[in-house]
Structure formats: C-alpha cells, structure tokens
Amino acid sequence: MAASSLPREQVLHLARLARLKLDDEEVERLGAQLAAIVGYMDVLAGVARAEPDDEQESTSPRWLRDDESGASLPREAALSESERHVTQGFVVPGPKGSRR
Amino acid sequence: MSVDAESLTSLPLWEVARRVAAGDLRAEAVAVAFLARVREADSTIRAFVHCDPDAVVACARDIDERRARGTPLGPLAGVPVAVKDNLCTTDAPTTCASHALVRDGQGWRAPYDAAVVERLRAADAVIIGKTNLDAFAMGSSTENSDLFSTKNPWDTTRVPGGSSGGSAAAVAAGMAAGALGSDTGGSIRQPASFTNTVGIKPTYGRVSRFGLVAFASSLDQVGPIASDVRGAARVLFAIAGHDPRDATSVQAPLPDLEAACDRGVRGVRIGIPDEYFGEGLDDRVRELVDRAVDVLAGAGCSLVRVSLPHTELAVAAYYVLATAEASSNLARFDGIRFGSSVRPPDADVDEMVAATRGAAFGAEVKRRVMLGTHVLSAGYYDAYYLQAQRVRRRLAADFEEAFGSVDVVATPTAPSPPWKLGEKLADPLAMYLADVYTLPASLAGLPALSVPCGWTNDGLPVGLQLIGRRWQEDLLCRVASGWERLRDATGSPPKLYESSHG
C-alpha cells in the first residue's frame, strides 16, 4: 500500500476507536502521515509466516502469582487527583442518551 | 560561582560519593554547588521540569546530620541525581511533559514513589529535580515535550536527543552527577550519545517498572545516565533488582558492576554487525566508531564480523509493537481519575473523554496512539501486529546466533551526530528511522549501553553502543570502562562542560 493519505473515514474511525477528538486539520495531517508510516511498515509483509519458533508459548500456571489479597491504594489517595469526585467515586457525565 | 563549586560539579558521580562518605565533603555543599549550576545553566538548557532547591538542601542536610550521628549511609549518599519526569515521585509533580498530567498549571501528584525512586532514596541519593522528556517518552529529540524543548549543552542550537533528553542534558552540563532515564527504543542510549554521557539500558526485567508511567510495557526499562561508566554502574546497581510489584521484573543475580569496570578488555570477542555500518551511517560517526573498535582490537580484543540479518525490519516492527502497546497504555488518560479534563456542556462521557484526550495529547502522542490503534484493529492485526511479533522473535534469534561466537556487539549508537532543533519535526518517519541502531536490542530485551567515543571535527559528540547477552551488564561495563581508559590515554580526554562554556 502506498496511498498518499488514509481516507478521511478511516482516520475518523481510528480516532473513534482511540477516543480522540480531532479537528479537520489534524484529520488531514494524520491521514497523510499515517499513510506514509503504514506504507513503510508494509515491509513486514515480506516476512515468511511459517517457522517453528513462531508459535507463541502457552501461559503456564507457574508464571502466575498466587491469587492473594494484598495492600492497595487507599481510597482517598485514589480519588485525590481527580477533578470531580465524591466519597463513593469519580463523577463523570452520563453515557449517551442519559439524563445529566 | 567559586572555583570549588565549579570543581564539584565536574566530579564523576562515584568521586562525589567517595568524598561525602569520607567526610571530605558535606552533602549540603554538594547540593548547593549543583543547584548553583542549575541556576546558571538551566535558563538556557531547560533540562528541568521541576526543581525545589529548599527540598534538595533539606535532603542533603539530613544526610549530613545522619552521618554526624554515625548512621551508615547508602552508596549514593549526597549524590545529586535527576529523575526523568515519567517516574512517579510523591514529593514532586509528575507530568510526563504532557498537558494530560497538568491541570490548572499544576502537575499530577503521584500517590507513590516509583520503585527506582525508592531505591535511590534508600541509597541516600539527593534527587535534585525532575527532567524534561518527549511527552510520554515518545520521541527522539525531547522536542515533543508539551512544556518546552531542551537544548544540547554542547551546541544549544541542537537537540539533546530523546526521549530522556532532559536527564542527559542535566548530566552533560554538570547540573546533576547522575540521572535516571527510561529506554523503550533507545531513549537513554541515544541522548547519551548526543550529549557525551554514558547511558545504560538494562536487560528487560532487570529494573522494576513499578511507578514508571508506561509507554510500551514489553520494552520499557529504567536506566542510568552518568558522566562515566563507573558512575552509571553505581546507579544501576542501586536501582536494579526484583520487585514483586512489577510482574515482569526478574529474580536474576546482579553482578558487581563496578568491579567489572576494572577487569580490562583483553580477550573479549567483539562482534561487528555488517548491517549497522551500511548506507545511512554518517561518515563522521563511522570514522569515530571504526577508530574505537580498532583501538579495542589493539588492546587485546578480537573483532569478529557478524550478521544480524533482520535488522532492516526493526524500525517497522518496533513502531508496530510499541505504538500498539502505547495505544493501550495511554487509554487510562481520560480525565476522569487524574490529569486534565475537558467537559463540554451537555457532553456525555464518551464525548468528554474524546475532547479531553484531543486537547491533552500532543501531535506525536496522537500519531502513535492512532498508529497503534490501526495495527491492532480488525483487518490489520495479522498483517502488522502478528508479523511484527514474528520479526521480534527473529531479531532475538539473530543476536542469539551472534553471541555464539562473540561476547558483545559493537555498533554506532545513532546514525548521525545530534541534529538541529526543528530539523526533523516535519517528517515523523525520518525521526523514527533515526532509531535504527538502538531498536533491535530493545526488541530482543538485551542490555545495551552507549559510551562516548569521540567528537566530530565540528565539535559534536558521538556514542559507541555495546550490546550484550541477557544479564551481562557487567561485561558491558567492563568493555565500556576499558574503552574509556584507552580513549583518554590516546590524547582525547573528555571535554569538560565548564572549559567549553567559560
């Protein structure tokens, strides 16, 4: 792929996935820049896929620690740096369509 | 500034520690001297994001009082150490040089110290301040800091490298005796190369990442920057070790790194990889690195040509994997639990998060988050992410094969000397390609260091990179320290910042 720019719809789709609000200038600039970078990364396509050492090692139980409770951040410390919070937690706007 | 204070700030880290431990120097005097240097130089160089002189002096005074009481002191007692501002500190803000962690002009306050900060404090280091970086450690020049750019002390029209440019510049300019940086794809080694300092990226898992704000979790490592190998070795020894709070930190025996510095280089087999000396390497760098390895050969090392055939794929693989991990790690910056937030009227939570992140992240961070999102998304994951993982494994295999016949691999740290401020900002891909020599060791999880190997005719520093087998930081220190002695004996003593800047 050697497109000069990713399509606008694709840039906006990625922005939605990444939870990023972009202005029009950013959409245009990122479209061009990402196309160039992704085009460079297409060199990875030439790497052969079937080699024995490609298999990912399975997760062995010996690598996992015991599931035990331990010390954790005190509630007050966890809340202290948020812009809006109450005792019970962080205050955020409601989800789409909910009443504020 | 008095002559004594000038001399203090040009002492290597281990000599500061020795004199404080011996009672020849008071920690407070050391702190005052380095703070004076910060006042003198940092308005130009802009290495520091945060420096609280009263707190620094109070810490140093406490060390003097404990010494007077006969309390045993740690191996870094009284040594001013700067800390990159992506490492959590409870007594100073942590901003990652990003607007995302600055609210109403105040940086985020971490509720805990990073593990490496805990260990520095336990070693009685004096943390002199927090240093500038490319925001969230994403960059190679420190120009991507949302706060300000840091200048290279050797030529203030040039970059100090990145992303640990503030830490490297602080040490190079005598504003700190040592510093901590973080290295994901070269962010300790390259700024060390650009500033005539020594920087070490440890084996992945050697140093705890607890309290390091994550960029790419399978690549990030904290490491030291110092004016010489012995100083870097002392700091690394202090911060290394298993930490149960970091699930990727390993219980590996830590050799005596400083003792290794005295072992000499005779008998070491040095691999010279073809792929690192081809097209794209600046002739000034090539000449200095060639000369360095020839000197090492003359001192009893054997040079062995090796091949690391997947090197040409490293940049592509790295920028797939690192950005994929970054897109996940930076998802937490949503303005809800910490940091800045934007709350448009009548916005729902998704709109609030998107507006917050859109306002908070700089151009490079946005680019990498978008790129990482792309390579993980449906329809692209196999072609990019899985392929990059395959390449990563093969790069590691390349090194494993090479280490069958050599002990260390020697390469230039960077393909060029430090470039001019602004020179590469318009072309992100050009900036990424400048990481070509440091990325492979990161992807393979291997230890690597950069040690100064000389100056170009136009007065710019160049670094020699040494890459070792896992857990063999001692061998790297041995060879690099031996190189330092050979280098200095050939009539090319290191320039001192003071002598260059009056």
Side-chain angles (χ1 to χ4, degrees), chain A residues 1 6 10-15 17-22 26 29-30 33-34 36-51 53-57 65 73 77-84 90-97 100, chain B residues 103 107-109 111-112 244 312-313 315-317 319-320 331 334 336-339 341 343 346-349 351-355 357-358 361 363 366-367 369-371 373-375 377 380 382-384 387-388 390-391 393-394 426 428-429 432-433:
Chain A
M1 177 171 73
L6 295 187
Q10 188 175 7
V11 177
L12 291 173
H13 169 66
L14 291 176
L17 289 177
R19 301 194 301 165
L20 278 174
K21 183 178 177 187
L22 302 176
E26 287 174 313
R29 176 166 42 81
L30 281 166
Q33 290 175 343
L34 291 176
I37 297 166
V38 172
Y40 176 80
M41 289 171 173
D42 283 341
V43 69
L44 296 173
V47 176
R49 298 188 182 207
E51 287 202 7
D53 64 354
D54 279 355
E55 291 303 311
Q56 190 174 6
E57 291 173 18
R65 66 168 187 256
L73 201 61
L79 290 170
S80 64
E81 281 289 315
S82 66
E83 193 175 50
R84 292 186 196 174
F90 306 99
V91 175
V92 298
K96 192 176 283 296
R100 291 194 70 226
Chain B
R103 190 171 72 225
W108 172 66
R109 285 285 177 158
Y112 49 81
E312 65 177 356
L313 300 171
V315 174
Y319 278 98
V320 166
D334 55 16
I336 294 172
R337 288 158 295 163
F338 38 72
S341 72
R343 297 184 183 234
D346 300 324
D348 60 44
V349 63
E351 289 164 341
M352 175 208 140
V353 168
R357 290 160 61 80
F361 288 159
K366 280 183 190 162
R367 188 162 36 245
V369 167
M370 294 277 285
L371 191 53
T373 303
H374 176 66
V375 300
S377 65
Y380 297 98
D382 282 10
Y384 294 109
Q387 284 295 89
R390 290 186 175 103
V391 167
R393 194 179 283 274
R394 286 168 206 184
L429 186 55
Y432 298 167
L433 290 169

